Amino acid sequence: MKDKILKLLGTAQTQYISGVEMSNHLGISRVAVWKHMKRLVQEGYDMDASPKGYRLKSCRDLLGFSFERGVSATRFFPIVDSTMDRARELAKQGADHFTVVIAEQQEKGRGRLRRSWLSQKGGLWFTIILKPDLPPPLSFKVNFAASLCLARTLNRLFDINARVKWPNDILVNNKKLVGLLSEMETRGDMISFVNIGIGINVNNQPEQDEPNAVSIRTLVGHDVSREVILGAFLDDLGAMLQNILDKEIIDLWKEQTSTIGKRVRIETLNNVHQGVALDVDETGALILEQEDNTTRRVIYGDCFHRENQS
Ligand code: BTN
């Protein structure tokens, strides 16, 4: 019943739906409608109740999200600690390949290198649970496919010149639009799951707290539909993950990156490396030419392009 109510409110967009209409549509009494609505408010849904009826004040564009497109299931939460934590629990409980966990807000959003990730309302915060038939050393292909695919999708939808920054962020005009965090669990020589967490600044305003971040709303000058972005991206990613072993993902990714050729600083948990990004090898590692002319192969870290700090 909860899903039916959310779908009804989600498809009504900004319109109110009266209690009578809801009760007729759902085949339950008005008192039952009222009880369900009260429970949804307690769960954190941003609901407006007035003499005209009920409507959702926010996240309508996510709730109408279609369950087709090869996505096994979407799980939407108004507020979570982190979609990474929910996705991990679900993956361990046997969630299907391509289950997507979406949140309107995260109270403990996580970034790479144990940083926190600001997750205001209006952004698109989600984690995709993937169970690819790959050995762990090839899991990098999935992460690079996700960032490549998302940059292409955003460019197709909004024509914003989104470029990938090693390893998996997406920048526009050197400002951070998207962050990607990946967590993997293995069993023996196979991947049990690889969860790809993605934060896209869509209709939120990250610039106030993060001067080197930008949102799609700022870039295009108006609000955009998170549903459209998520749907298009999942379609594209689903297609790219088909026969991924046969695809030269890194070569495709390199066509979309702004990192190669740049002077960079790379922070790992214990070190900082600096130099010019020469290349990304076939395993996804960054090849760095250091200031003493030696080269270093860096396999993980947070990369900063040195003309700014994004
Ligand atoms: C980074 O750039 O440091 C990675 C940021 C990843 C943020 C996303 S938002 C959805 C998912 N849930 C989280 O807690 N983190 C990822």
Side-chain angles (χ1 to χ4, degrees):
M1 185 51 68
K2 175 179 160 183
D3 286 347
K4 282 188 185 167
I5 293 176
L6 289 173
K7 189 135 194 139
L8 186 60
L9 291 166
T11 48
Q13 299 287 314
T14 52
Q15 306 288 316
Y16 283 93
I17 308 185
S18 72
V20 175
E21 278 176 273
M22 291 190 76
S23 119
N24 289 341
H25 188 93
L26 299 164
I28 56 175
S29 70
R30 285 185 66 186
V31 175
V33 169
W34 178 81
K35 282 188 182 157
H36 281 294
M37 299 308 280
K38 200 171 152 197
R39 200 169 306 137
L40 286 172
V41 171
Q42 282 163 357
E43 286 179 26
Y45 286 90
D46 200 4
M47 207 75 75
D48 202 5
S50 88
K52 287 186 273 182
Y54 304 97
R55 72 181 179 110
L56 273 165
K57 286 199 283 194
S58 65
C59 58
R60 283 180 298 276
D61 60 342
L62 278 185
L63 291 168
F65 182 66
S66 157
F67 288 75
E68 291 158 22
R69 306 168 180 274
V71 178
S72 341
T74 48
R75 300 288 301 268
F76 177 83
F77 297 93
I79 300 185
V80 286
D81 34 14
S82 158
T83 57
M84 298 308 285
D85 298 338
R86 289 296 167 105
R88 171 171 283 272
E89 287 161 21
L90 290 167
K92 281 176 179 286
Q93 288 162 11
D96 289 335
H97 173 64
F98 232 105
T99 297
V100 184
V101 180
I102 312 162
E104 177 68 28
Q105 273 178 283
Q106 302 185 108
E107 292 182 319
K108 292 188 184 157
R110 292 197 264 118
R112 281 199 307 271
L113 300 184
R114 302 185 193 142
R115 296 195 178 113
S116 61
W117 176 263
L118 192 69
S119 315
Q120 309 147 319
K121 277 188 181 179
L124 181 49
W125 323 125
F126 63 103
T127 300
I128 311 171
I129 300 170
L130 296 171
K131 298 189 167 175
D133 195 9
L134 287 176
L138 294 184
S139 65
F140 73 90
K141 281 198 152 211
V142 175
N143 300 331
F144 280 79
S147 59
L148 161 67
C149 218
L150 183 54
R152 283 180 174 180
T153 305
L154 294 176
N155 285 333
R156 194 178 76 241
L157 292 176
F158 305 111
D159 195 16
I160 50 177
N161 194 23
R163 310 282 292 161
V164 278
K165 183 185 72 160
W166 185 88
N168 297 125
D169 287 342
I170 296 180
L171 307 183
V172 174
N173 303 331
N174 285 320
K175 303 239 177 209
K176 184 153 165 168
L177 182 66
V178 175
L180 189 148
L181 175 69
S182 151
E183 291 179 352
M184 180 170 69
E185 196 164 289
T186 59
R187 187 179 308 135
D189 57 2
M190 288 310 284
I191 295 174
S192 302
F193 58 84
V194 48
N195 290 347
I196 311 272
I198 297 183
I200 313 178
N201 294 315
V202 180
N203 298 324
N204 55 319
Q205 285 184 297
E207 299 89 342
Q208 289 161 353
D209 300 286
E210 299 278 355
N212 286 316
V214 72
S215 67
I216 297 179
R217 176 165 72 180
T218 302
L219 292 168
V220 302
H222 54 82
D223 278 0
V224 298
S225 163
R226 291 173 294 178
E227 175 186 347
V228 167
I229 297 171
L230 186 56
F233 167 59
L234 293 176
D235 277 350
D236 293 352
L237 183 63
M240 189 168 279
L241 293 182
Q242 299 279 328
N243 305 321
I244 191 168
L245 278 177
D246 302 337
K247 293 183 179 142
E248 300 298 339
I249 296 292
I250 297 293
D251 287 345
L252 298 170
W253 182 94
K254 282 199 236 175
E255 289 169 14
Q256 200 70 47
T257 190
S258 56
T259 296
I260 295 174
K262 287 248 162 64
R263 289 172 57 73
V264 296
R265 189 179 87 253
I266 302 193
E267 294 179 6
T268 67
L269 280 173
N270 304 311
N271 279 303
V272 175
H273 307 294
Q274 306 205 66
V276 174
L278 286 184
D279 197 7
V280 170
D281 73 13
E282 69 287 354
T283 68
L286 187 78
I287 309 300
L288 194 63
E289 182 179 51
Q290 302 181 112
E291 270 141 29
D292 61 4
N293 290 330
T294 58
T295 55
R296 175 182 288 274
R297 186 170 166 272
V298 189
I299 57 169
Y300 83 98
D302 224 0
C303 170
F304 299 87
H305 291 174
R306 291 195 51 195
E307 60 269 57
N308 72 5
Q309 294 301 301
S310 51

